[in-house]
Amino acid sequence: MPELPEVTVITNQLNKKLKGLEIKSIEYDWPKKFHWGEFSIKDLKGAKVSGVERRGKIVIIRLVSGSVGKWDSRKNQKKPTNQPTYKPTDLSILIHLKLTGQLIYQDKKTRIAGGHPLPPLNKPVPNSTTRVTITFDRGKLYFNDMRKFGWVKIIEDKKLEEEDYIKKLGPDPLKMKFDEFRERLKAKRQGRIKKTLMDQSVVGGIGNIYSDEGLWRAKVHPKRSIISLNEAEMKAIYNGVRESFKIAIEKGGSSANAYVDSGGEKGLYLSFGKAYHMTGKPCARCKTPIVQEKMDGRSAHFCPNCQRLK
DNA sequence: TTAAATGTTTAAAT
DNA sequence: CATTTAAACATTTA
């Protein structure tokens, strides 16, 4: 999916738009990946958005209780009643976009869209890839996912840290000091650098695009093992990943197709990319054609001259 | 027609 | 038991 920069961009925009909105209803045709846990639609109806944030690559829509009812604290579950359910704490909606997820919010005068570029982000919604629709008192949020790899989960705020994805998640490269970044990577020793960078338990938010981009900037071959990296190379990788993230966030994400920002403006292509999907194109530094090679089940793109294996 | 795709989990093999 | 690799998930597009 959408990696850290894309999720950051859409999260920030959603945060501005959704704050204070009240949930009216939720529709979905995708029960397999909509995890309600012990909750149900009754628990969300009337709840208001207190903010939208990001953890790794997931989007979290935080809610505050709107309705009140009964909660059985002994059984730690809702009582079987038709009354609205009382929540001992507030709830959150977790959304993982995986490979092909998109989030699109629309109201009378606004449209914001982010995530995977296909289908085009300016395509009308709902469409054939729309899996979940959350209706607010003013506007609707659509979760599209062509390949249905993504998921939605309803969870209590206080259990957020125990959630499977979140509890394994390493810190953001942008929020981490170099020392911690280096130590976390080093723990993988024999691991190959590209694969390790994409390991969400080591560092959060890096996927196939930005591991390629970061390593290109660092002039490090994606197959290098962690133990073979010296201090300078490690630092270059740290900086490389951070730079590519910062640039991508500035540019509004890497979505390769039409991107519509909160003002309805179009634009933004993966024009800043130096390696990802640049196979055969000359390296921006040395003009050697970028090569693509399959490794660890993914395709890596790199410059065979700047990024030597040894 | 076949392969590949902005990701993660799980089963299987080492 | 720890680690690595392959397969699975589901669908579209090049």
Side-chain angles (χ1 to χ4, degrees):
Chain A
M1 84 165 178
E3 303 175 30
L4 183 146
E6 292 75 38
V7 183
T8 300
V9 170
I10 187 64
T11 297
N12 290 343
Q13 296 188 88
L14 287 176
N15 186 46
K16 286 182 206 152
K17 283 294 162 193
L18 298 189
K19 208 177 278 183
L21 298 194
E22 182 180 324
I23 295 182
K24 291 294 182 186
S25 65
I26 297 182
E27 291 100 48
Y28 56 100
D29 66 346
W30 194 24
K32 197 173 162 190
K33 297 294 191 71
F34 201 118
H35 307 285
W36 283 99
E38 70 231 62
F39 304 104
S40 74
I41 183 63
K42 289 202 305 290
D43 301 302
L44 295 192
K45 207 174 269 188
K48 286 186 177 170
V49 177
S50 59
V52 182
E53 49 197 77
R54 176 188 63 75
R55 287 286 208 100
K57 300 177 191 173
I58 63 176
V59 175
I60 302 180
I61 300 175
R62 286 190 178 264
L63 305 170
V64 287
S65 321
S67 56
V68 209
K70 290 285 183 192
W71 180 266
D72 188 337
S73 55
R74 285 169 308 166
K75 293 181 182 168
N76 197 32
Q77 62 183 11
K78 67 186 175 185
K79 277 185 176 170
T81 167
N82 291 324
Q83 294 296 109
T85 308
Y86 170 73
K87 294 168 287 294
T89 65
D90 294 315
L91 300 180
S92 284
I93 304 174
L94 276 55
I95 302 173
H96 197 316
L97 277 57
K98 287 285 185 84
L99 259 78
T100 57
Q102 307 178 317
L103 287 172
I104 298 174
Y105 172 78
Q106 245 180 194
D107 61 28
K108 286 188 197 98
K109 46 185 178 185
T110 320
R111 177 191 177 96
I112 60 177
H116 194 274
L118 292 174
L121 288 166
N122 57 6
K123 188 177 179 177
V125 277
N127 57 53
S128 60
T129 69
T130 303
R131 312 299 176 195
V132 181
T133 305
I134 303 177
T135 302
F136 295 95
D137 45 357
R138 46 161 306 181
K140 287 170 185 273
L141 179 67
Y142 300 91
F143 177 19
N144 294 344
D145 188 1
M146 194 167 72
R147 285 171 71 183
K148 291 184 177 174
F149 282 6
W151 48 253
V152 177
K153 193 178 272 191
I154 309 301
I155 192 169
E156 282 178 86
D157 278 352
K158 68 176 184 186
K159 289 188 179 164
L160 225 45
E161 301 305 322
E162 305 160 31
E163 196 280 327
D164 286 345
Y165 180 90
I166 290 176
K167 74 181 176 200
K168 289 183 207 154
L169 189 62
D172 278 12
L174 289 176
K175 293 194 179 137
M176 207 178 345
K177 292 220 164 76
F178 172 61
D179 285 350
E180 188 184 358
F181 179 83
R182 181 189 51 205
E183 293 313 312
R184 297 186 71 90
L185 283 174
K186 271 189 173 172
K188 289 290 175 179
R189 301 193 57 78
Q190 296 291 344
R192 277 159 293 194
I193 184 61
K194 178 178 169 71
K195 187 180 164 61
T196 308
L197 282 173
M198 289 194 287
D199 184 338
Q200 302 302 298
S201 69
V202 179
V203 286
I206 306 175
N208 211 25
I209 293 180
Y210 296 95
S211 58
D212 280 354
E213 294 298 322
L215 289 171
W216 180 88
R217 285 181 140 71
K219 301 187 189 176
V220 171
H221 191 290
K223 269 191 175 161
R224 289 282 300 279
S225 69
I226 301 289
I227 42 171
S228 78
L229 297 167
N230 63 34
E231 184 81 359
E233 288 169 325
M234 200 65 106
K235 185 87 192 220
I237 294 165
Y238 173 75
N239 289 331
V241 168
R242 288 164 59 97
E243 277 162 27
S244 60
F245 271 179
K246 283 181 197 163
I247 292 170
I249 291 170
E250 262 172 42
K251 303 274 183 186
S254 69
S255 298
N257 284 37
Y259 173 84
V260 188
D261 73 13
S262 55
E265 248 174 79
K266 234 179 152 184
L268 278 308
Y269 291 70
L270 188 51
S271 53
F272 52 87
K274 305 291 189 190
Y276 182 76
H277 272 199
M278 297 291 277
T279 314
K281 306 251 169 62
C283 167
R285 275 187 302 250
C286 73
K287 310 298 179 216
T288 305
I290 298 290
V291 298
Q292 179 174 354
E293 194 179 312
K294 200 147 190 180
M295 63 184 74
D296 298 320
R298 306 298 296 266
S299 62
H301 312 73
F302 58 97
C303 171
N305 181 45
C306 298
Q307 299 166 264
R308 300 291 181 86
L309 192 48
K310 201 212 74 62

